[in-house]
Amino acid sequence: MIPFFDGHNDTLLRLLEAEGADKERAFIEGSKTGHIDLPRAKAAGMAGGFFAMFPPPLKTGQVAASNPGLEPNLPPELAWSDAMASTSGMTSVLLRLERADALAVCRNAGELRAAIARDTLAAIFHIEGAEAIDTEFRSLELLYAAGLRSIGLTWSRANAFGTGVPFRHNADPDIGPGLSDAGKELVRVCNGMGVMIDLSHLNAAGFRDVAAISNHPLVATHSNVHAISPHARNLTDWQLAAIAESKGIVGLNFATGFLRPDGKFVADTEIEVMVRHVDALVEALGEDGVALGSDFDGAMMPAVIGDVTGVPKLLQALLDKGYGEELVRKIALGNWMSMIERTIG
């Protein structure tokens, strides 16, 4: 079995929102809900992944902030206090899983390699949307001490640092303003600390700003090819070229609406369209620039994949397509290992 490392999952939010006091037991012992738990991850050959902290939008009736009017299809901005509350909750779930020896929170490439060598699920602490970071970066220091090593500057909304793209098909990501001054400074601070910057969900102007400021390779942990599926969340030709020039990486997103040319979020999506995106990514980025970024527990998956146990089917489809085993192993694990070493240290 080929081991793999996943560039993005929302499992911690699912566990945080689960009913019951012991939110970790179902993950450790296995359950019939969600896309990832420890038994299924082990059975599939999952070596680890980026475990995202995604501050969800407030429920109807709780929304206090208003949309800044930049894009009517973007959710309202989220207050720092609300984002920090949910992020703290997800952090506590992650750390309790570590104390239970269900996984290891890895703060550098050495710890990542050590966890994989001892067959422990390796977790990179990632934030999806920087709403929990204050503009003086005090909470960044706290979260870094807890293990934070990767930040997606935006989800698909605006925040103090930048603006995301709407969930819109047949749309270009070139919408809205670039990074704020605080957003530009956050990129510089993260570069200095060894925190990876994730471009997934960020709009085109913000992407350009990161490309101009960052001294790290450009990374999109869970995005696809706009030329195949013209969704605002996907990467256009010029974005892929910029990532390639920086010797960066893109993780293939399994979400059906970002895979399909028609943009439909339906489970009846063939594995061949996933392979088509991999083909295009390898052509644009080279063999060292392509990885996996499933979006498990955060999106509709193709039925043929289903959950984490379906990843070997994708890897086998790549082998069947004529990809050599060495390249498939790089896409599955090796390219993320290299990128983590080059950005996090």
Side-chain angles (χ1 to χ4, degrees):
M1 181 180 294
I2 295 176
F4 66 90
F5 193 89
D6 184 23
H8 187 88
N9 71 64
D10 288 297
T11 301
L12 294 172
L13 178 61
R14 176 175 63 81
L15 294 174
L16 178 68
E17 294 182 337
E19 296 182 0
D22 190 348
K23 299 178 184 297
E24 295 74 40
R25 184 169 300 278
F27 179 86
I28 295 169
E29 297 180 353
S31 70
K32 296 180 180 179
T33 61
H35 293 143
I36 297 177
D37 55 37
L38 186 58
R40 282 182 286 173
K42 291 291 187 182
M46 183 178 180
F50 288 78
F51 281 69
M53 313 279 173
F54 164 57
L58 294 177
K59 297 177 181 178
T60 302
Q62 293 180 304
V63 175
S66 61
N67 190 291
L70 300 171
E71 170 50 55
N73 291 326
L74 291 179
E77 293 189 36
L78 190 65
W80 175 83
S81 58
D82 294 311
M84 193 60 188
S86 61
T87 299
S88 297
M90 287 179 277
T91 301
S92 70
V93 172
L94 179 67
L95 296 179
R96 287 199 297 269
L97 287 172
E98 183 175 45
R99 285 200 300 274
D101 294 324
L103 51 75
V105 178
C106 299
R107 292 163 171 80
N108 54 55
E111 292 183 5
L112 178 62
R113 287 191 294 269
I116 293 173
R118 65 177 184 269
D119 197 30
T120 298
L121 189 65
I124 300 293
F125 184 154
H126 171 79
I127 283 180
E128 181 179 28
E131 285 86 353
I133 306 298
D134 63 275
T135 54
E136 294 181 347
F137 308 133
R138 294 169 180 167
S139 57
L140 176 62
E141 296 287 351
L142 293 173
L143 292 168
Y144 182 86
L148 175 68
R149 292 299 184 272
S150 176
I151 293 179
L153 297 180
T154 67
W155 180 63
S156 287
R157 60 187 164 210
N159 60 32
F161 305 105
T163 301
V165 293
F167 287 101
R168 183 191 294 168
H169 191 62
N170 287 325
D172 190 281
D174 200 357
I175 184 170
L179 299 184
S180 66
D181 289 343
K184 295 173 182 177
E185 184 61 18
L186 178 58
V187 173
R188 297 185 187 99
V189 170
C190 286
N191 279 180
M193 295 175 73
V195 174
M196 194 184 80
I197 297 294
D198 177 19
L199 296 164
S200 292
H201 287 278
L202 186 63
N203 68 1
F207 183 108
R208 291 187 183 96
D209 286 337
V210 174
I213 296 167
S214 180
N215 57 28
H216 283 178
L218 301 178
V219 175
T221 60
H222 59 305
S223 294
N224 292 335
V225 179
H226 192 274
I228 298 174
S229 178
H231 197 287
R233 271 280 285 109
N234 287 337
L235 298 164
T236 60
D237 289 346
W238 71 263
Q239 289 175 309
L240 291 171
I243 293 170
E245 184 178 359
S246 76
K247 301 187 184 306
I249 196 170
V250 175
L252 176 75
N253 192 321
F254 297 4
T256 58
F258 308 145
L259 289 167
R260 297 169 60 97
D262 62 9
K264 293 182 179 178
F265 283 91
V266 293
D268 185 18
T269 299
E270 296 182 350
I271 204 165
E272 284 75 14
V273 73
M274 304 177 76
V275 175
R276 187 180 171 197
H277 279 272
V278 174
D279 287 342
L281 289 171
V282 170
E283 182 177 356
L285 305 172
E287 295 185 357
D288 297 333
V290 186
L292 305 179
S294 69
D295 217 348
F296 281 139
D297 283 319
M300 169 71 73
M301 296 288 114
V304 66
I305 298 296
D307 59 21
V308 68
T309 60
V311 174
K313 297 178 183 177
L314 172 61
L315 302 180
Q316 185 60 51
L318 295 176
L319 292 169
D320 293 343
K321 179 70 184 292
Y323 283 61
E325 183 174 337
E326 181 180 356
L327 175 53
V328 173
R329 287 184 178 274
K330 289 172 71 174
I331 292 170
L333 174 62
N335 288 340
W336 271 131
M337 294 286 288
S338 173
M339 182 54 61
I340 288 166
E341 190 157 57
R342 287 187 285 149
T343 54
I344 297 173

